[in-house]
Amino acid sequence: QKQVVETIKQRHPETPVIIYMAPDAHSSHGQRLPQLAKTGVDIVSIDHTVDFAAARDLVPDHIGLQGNLDPALLRDGPLDKIKEETERILALSKGRHHIMN
């Protein structure tokens, strides 16, 4: 992964790089976040199964986070719960670079 990120950054230094951690067994519930952060990416994407506050603590501050709204909630609603969960996640970001999805 690190070699791929380095190659992208060498060829396209202006392009931000996001790495996505597959959910469930592959993510080990976020335990691999520090490894992913060491690849040189700009953003680590986390899914809804990973606690955002824990991810924020595991990934260095200079690396942004992407996520982590539950796609089932986004698909099925209700709208007030979507808004509530979105606000909760945004509050947890605490000013860090963050892509909400």
Side-chain angles (χ1 to χ4, degrees), residues 48 50-53 56 68-70 81-94 98 100:
H48 68 284
V50 176
D51 178 71
F52 193 93
R56 187 190 64 226
N68 69 335
L69 192 62
D70 184 344
K81 181 66 177 164
I82 294 170
K83 289 179 182 179
E84 178 184 316
E85 185 64 6
T86 299
E87 291 296 331
R88 184 189 73 79
I89 293 167
L90 290 173
L92 287 171
S93 70
K94 295 186 177 182
H98 178 227
M100 184 67 196

Side-chain angles (χ1 to χ4, degrees), residues 73-84:
L73 175 62
L74 191 57
R75 180 191 64 222
D76 301 333
L79 184 56
D80 61 329
K81 181 66 177 164
I82 294 170
K83 289 179 182 179
E84 178 184 316

Side-chain angles (χ1 to χ4, degrees), residues 6 14 21-22 27 29 54 62 74 80 85 94 96 100:
E6 287 174 353
E14 71 289 345
M21 178 178 55
S27 74
H29 303 287
H62 69 280
L74 191 57
D80 61 329
E85 185 64 6
K94 295 186 177 182
R96 173 186 212 133
M100 184 67 196

Side-chain angles (χ1 to χ4, degrees), residues 13-29:
E14 71 289 345
T15 302
V17 179
I18 300 171
I19 193 165
Y20 177 70
M21 178 178 55
D24 300 325
H26 300 288
S27 74
S28 301
H29 303 287

